[in-house]
Amino acid sequence: MKISELIDVVKGELICGENKLDHDVNIAFASDLMSDVLTVKIDNVLLITGLSNIQTLRTAEMSNITCIIFVRNKKVNECMFELANENNMILISSPFSMFKTSGLLYSLGVNPIY
């Protein structure tokens, strides 16, 4: 699924990563526990989370995750925005819950890790 399609499906707002709208995402992982995110050893994973802080981006960086959807209308501060841009990350904010976001993406062919 292209990032541009994903944004439409989750009624998302693109925060950064405008130059990657044609990027494909096929696998997703949903978690608010960054210790669980650190166990992810697959490239090109979409992270779905409600945890909106700098540690989320640092964890994603260590796990080679370049696309994050923040659910429940979570916002990104300036420090997070700058770090995401430095690391060429795609950040999206969605009004939906983690459950609904995951379900919508799964129903359209985005696969879970487990």
Side-chain angles (χ1 to χ4, degrees), residues 8-54:
D8 289 339
V9 168
V10 301
K11 304 286 188 247
E13 173 191 342
L14 182 67
I15 299 166
C16 65
E18 297 84 12
N19 60 335
K20 293 187 170 193
L21 292 176
D22 287 337
H23 182 74
D24 282 315
V25 173
N26 300 313
I27 300 171
F29 186 70
S31 183
D32 285 342
L33 294 172
M34 294 302 107
S35 58
D36 285 351
V37 175
L38 287 171
T39 68
V40 173
K41 301 297 180 205
I42 298 172
D43 290 335
N44 201 29
V45 173
L46 164 68
L47 174 61
I48 304 166
T49 187
L51 189 62
S52 179
N53 60 37
I54 199 75

Side-chain angles (χ1 to χ4, degrees), residues 3 6-17 46-50 52 67-77 80 90-97 101:
I3 295 297
L6 182 147
I7 291 169
D8 289 339
V9 168
V10 301
K11 304 286 188 247
E13 173 191 342
L14 182 67
I15 299 166
C16 65
L46 164 68
L47 174 61
I48 304 166
T49 187
S52 179
C67 186
I68 303 171
I69 297 178
F70 294 104
V71 295
R72 301 186 305 272
N73 278 323
K74 297 295 175 126
K75 301 301 178 198
V76 171
N77 64 35
M80 294 169 65
I90 303 163
L91 301 184
I92 301 163
S93 178
S94 173
F96 299 147
S97 69
T101 301

